Amino acid sequence: MRLETNTEPPERIGTPLMVVLVASDRPWSERAVPDELPELAALDRLAGEALSRAAAAGDFQGRARDRALGHGRGERGPERVLFQGVGSTEALTPERLRVAAGKAVRAAEHRRVRSLALCLRCLDMEAVGARGIQAAAEGLVLGAWRFDELRSEGEGGGWGAADGEGAADGEGAANGEGATAGASTAAGQGTGAGGARPPPVESAVVVAAPSGELEEAVRLGHAFAAGENRARTLQARPGNIATPSHLAGEARRIADEAGLEAEVLGPAELKAEGMEALLAVSRGSDEEPRLIVLRHRGGEPGEAPLVLVGKGLTFDAGGISIKPAKGMEKMKYDMSGGAAVMGAMWAVGRLGLPVNVVGLVPSSENLLSGSATKPGDVIGSRAGKSIEVINTDAEGRLILADALDYAARWSPAAIVDCATLTGAVVVALGHHRSAVLGSDEELIAELRDAGDAAAQPCWPLPMGPEYRKQLKSGVADLRNVGGRPAGTITAACFLSEFTGGTPWAHLDIAGTAYGSTKKPYLRNGPFGRPCRLLLEWVRARASS
């Protein structure tokens, strides 16, 4: 989506649809919009007093569910004016503005228009602030995303769920490594009731009062959301398209667009690096594994970088420990962590953040064949530790182990990995929060703050030597699973064995990376999570 700003009086801005956000605690009159709100009054007059009449009838009080539509009069200005409530100014959080912006995009789709304007000028702009403007920009860009690249041109059909106006917050089911594949209830976009698909919303204008923070806030919001949309597109592509080599090609494209350095390690380079764990996972597939490296040199030369590591398992059948057939098609989403890292690196480069950042994505498939790794096999790793493979469906931690050890070559300031790692995290936290675990409490606190800022919250789980004991092996240095108890924690304990002394944190996103949703700025399917969380964290580190 193209995104612009405009500081003109809103009644003079030409657009097919202007969505005007209105708070519930502004001064109201029984018959008309009061003079204390001149711009809102001007828009109301332009729209044939649609707001005044709705307010007088008690149908519009500025609540989040309230709407009033009028049509423009005259040759200039908006063709349609949709007044949309956002609740009280006191409760006007960035997430509420993100949701309101998503609703605005759904309103444009409903009216089959390709562009809109989102007017913030009738709100208390001090309460909105730069964070609120950024969130509104994110909601517009995120809301406009849709995955149509595999459809026949001109194909009709229904329009999918989760595109309704006024939808409430919520997220749906998702699976991770070790989960039952059939548990997912994510509905595919483009199914269900409705008419032919509306045209895409291609552009939007953020209308606000002049300020020194407007342009930068919109620039940040656009980049954060566009990066996350890139992750969502990679997630949405099926496994026969989004192979490890495809991800490598997309990484090179991202590097070209964002001014990054790209390097891709194939089987020969992986063998030379001693990445036996990553190679072991890929043995059952004809698709060759890759390790993708993206580098942003925005900081001082020689300054320790931040390293983002994302699991890039492009399809997970579970290997010899095969998953149930029902719902297994959702296992194309097992590369969601890798997609989020790639989207985040694109945005870091486009924004030119003043910090050194490295993105690592170990990528393979996990299938089964006569050459596949078997339960009971003992494999090596780049770190030199031997691993007894108890369950081949616990493969994500194996490919991450080699990537985490590889990250040590840069002596990083911190490492953050994200992965759809365990079904156990869905049992523990459901689909609303990701789990965060790690070796550094300050880093965990930073990620929690970043998650709150991005409305992608995470919750800490403990780690300790008592959990590490569950990984004890009778024939190797450790085993790849610790049994059913504390499955998310023991998976993180396994990863910690390969991080050295670097401050490290792990995000288990198995319950939050994809699914079904009622958030109007998302659609059912891929969410791109935790791309914006990573970006908020990197930006905060760059500013510190």
Side-chain angles (χ1 to χ4, degrees):
M1 170 186 271
R2 298 188 305 276
L3 203 57
E4 300 176 353
T5 61
N6 196 318
T7 58
E8 293 182 74
E11 68 274 13
R12 300 180 187 174
I13 298 173
T15 178
L17 173 67
M18 176 169 288
V19 179
V20 184
L21 303 187
V22 183
S24 61
D25 52 353
R26 306 298 293 207
W28 290 97
S29 164
E30 292 184 0
R31 297 183 179 180
V33 178
D35 293 336
E36 292 94 323
L37 302 172
E39 291 177 331
L40 188 59
L43 285 165
D44 187 34
R45 289 192 297 271
L46 179 73
E49 299 183 341
L51 179 59
S52 297
R53 288 185 283 108
D59 295 334
F60 192 99
Q61 299 176 26
R63 299 163 298 190
R65 64 179 180 271
D66 290 349
R67 295 179 178 216
L69 175 68
H71 291 79
R73 298 180 177 183
E75 298 180 359
R76 297 187 61 187
E79 296 174 23
R80 304 171 185 83
V81 180
L82 178 64
F83 300 97
Q84 180 174 295
V86 294
S88 69
T89 299
E90 183 180 5
L92 194 58
T93 61
E95 173 66 358
R96 185 164 286 195
L97 287 163
R98 196 178 287 115
V99 166
K103 290 180 180 179
V105 175
R106 300 291 167 258
E109 287 178 345
H110 181 70
R111 290 159 182 85
R112 310 186 71 83
V113 298
R114 294 178 179 269
S115 63
L116 76 147
L118 181 69
C119 181
L120 308 178
R121 289 187 69 144
C122 300
L123 299 174
D124 181 341
M125 291 306 297
E126 288 189 10
V128 171
R131 279 284 181 184
I133 296 171
Q134 176 186 332
E138 289 172 0
L140 290 169
V141 177
L142 291 169
W145 178 88
R146 50 197 263 188
F147 187 71
D148 287 341
E149 66 184 36
L150 301 181
R151 297 178 182 273
S152 300
E153 186 176 355
E155 186 73 18
W159 184 242
D163 62 352
E165 301 175 55
D169 291 351
E171 291 179 352
N175 291 318
E177 173 182 314
T180 300
S184 175
T185 60
Q189 181 190 329
T191 61
R197 287 175 289 128
V201 180
E202 298 170 341
S203 63
V205 177
V206 177
V207 181
S211 74
E213 56 193 16
L214 174 61
E215 295 292 340
E216 178 63 11
V218 170
R219 186 178 82 96
L220 283 171
H222 186 277
F224 278 35
E228 191 155 276
N229 283 350
R230 293 194 75 117
R232 294 162 79 187
T233 296
L234 290 174
Q235 287 179 278
R237 289 172 180 162
N240 63 320
I241 294 176
T243 61
S245 58
H246 176 82
L247 288 190
E250 288 299 298
R252 291 191 175 98
R253 186 194 307 270
I254 285 170
D256 289 342
E257 291 181 12
L260 306 174
E261 298 174 15
E263 181 183 7
V264 178
L265 280 66
E269 293 87 355
L270 296 175
K271 185 175 181 180
E273 285 287 343
M275 295 191 176
E276 297 181 34
L278 174 52
L279 289 166
V281 171
S282 68
R283 283 180 193 150
S285 172
D286 292 337
E287 291 287 340
E288 295 180 341
R290 297 287 189 271
L291 177 68
I292 297 164
V293 184
L294 292 169
R295 296 192 69 182
H296 169 71
R297 298 180 187 265
E300 295 295 326
E303 184 178 51
L306 306 175
V307 178
L308 308 177
V309 183
K311 174 184 170 185
L313 215 296
T314 57
F315 191 83
D316 182 19
I320 299 297
S321 307
I322 191 169
K323 292 179 181 291
K326 184 179 179 180
M328 195 190 289
E329 71 278 3
K330 302 298 189 298
M331 290 300 97
K332 70 177 185 176
Y333 291 127
D334 216 17
M335 42 68 74
S336 295
V341 166
M342 290 171 66
M345 290 302 298
W346 179 88
V348 165
R350 290 299 290 260
L351 290 169
L353 295 181
V355 62
N356 295 328
V357 189
V358 179
L360 294 178
V361 180
S363 183
S364 70
E365 290 184 336
N366 186 28
L367 302 181
L368 57 164
S369 72
S371 59
T373 298
K374 306 175 294 297
D377 286 357
V378 175
I379 62 174
S381 65
R382 187 180 188 276
K385 297 183 179 183
S386 59
I387 304 166
E388 182 185 8
V389 178
I390 302 299
N391 188 327
T392 64
D393 193 26
E395 84 300 325
R397 64 200 70 185
L398 299 179
I399 68 174
L400 286 171
D402 279 345
L404 290 168
D405 185 69
Y406 188 78
R409 66 191 298 150
W410 291 288
S411 300
I415 302 173
V416 175
D417 79 73
C418 53
T420 48
L421 206 64
T422 66
V425 77
V426 183
V427 177
L429 298 178
H431 305 287
H432 304 291
R433 293 177 182 267
S434 305
V436 59
L437 307 94
S439 63
D440 188 278
E441 291 299 324
E442 185 175 345
L443 175 57
I444 289 172
E446 290 174 3
L447 291 171
R448 292 187 67 187
D449 289 343
D452 290 344
Q456 297 180 340
C458 51
W459 192 256
L461 295 178
M463 288 180 61
E466 65 273 25
Y467 296 106
R468 171 62 177 83
K469 291 178 182 178
Q470 293 177 226
L471 298 175
K472 186 177 180 180
S473 168
V475 296
D477 292 325
L478 71 167
R479 41 196 263 171
N480 74 326
V481 294
R484 290 181 63 86
T488 300
I489 296 171
T490 56
C493 288
F494 179 92
L495 294 179
S496 71
E497 293 285 317
F498 302 89
T499 61
T502 303
W504 158 80
H506 160 66
L507 293 166
D508 194 329
I509 58 171
T512 56
Y514 64 95
S516 58
T517 182
K518 293 182 179 179
K519 289 190 174 182
Y521 59 82
L522 296 175
R523 299 191 195 277
N524 289 348
F527 298 154
R529 197 165 173 172
C531 181
R532 285 184 294 111
L533 181 159
L534 297 176
L535 286 166
E536 291 285 1
W537 176 66
V538 171
R539 181 177 168 233
R541 279 287 186 119
S543 302
S544 63

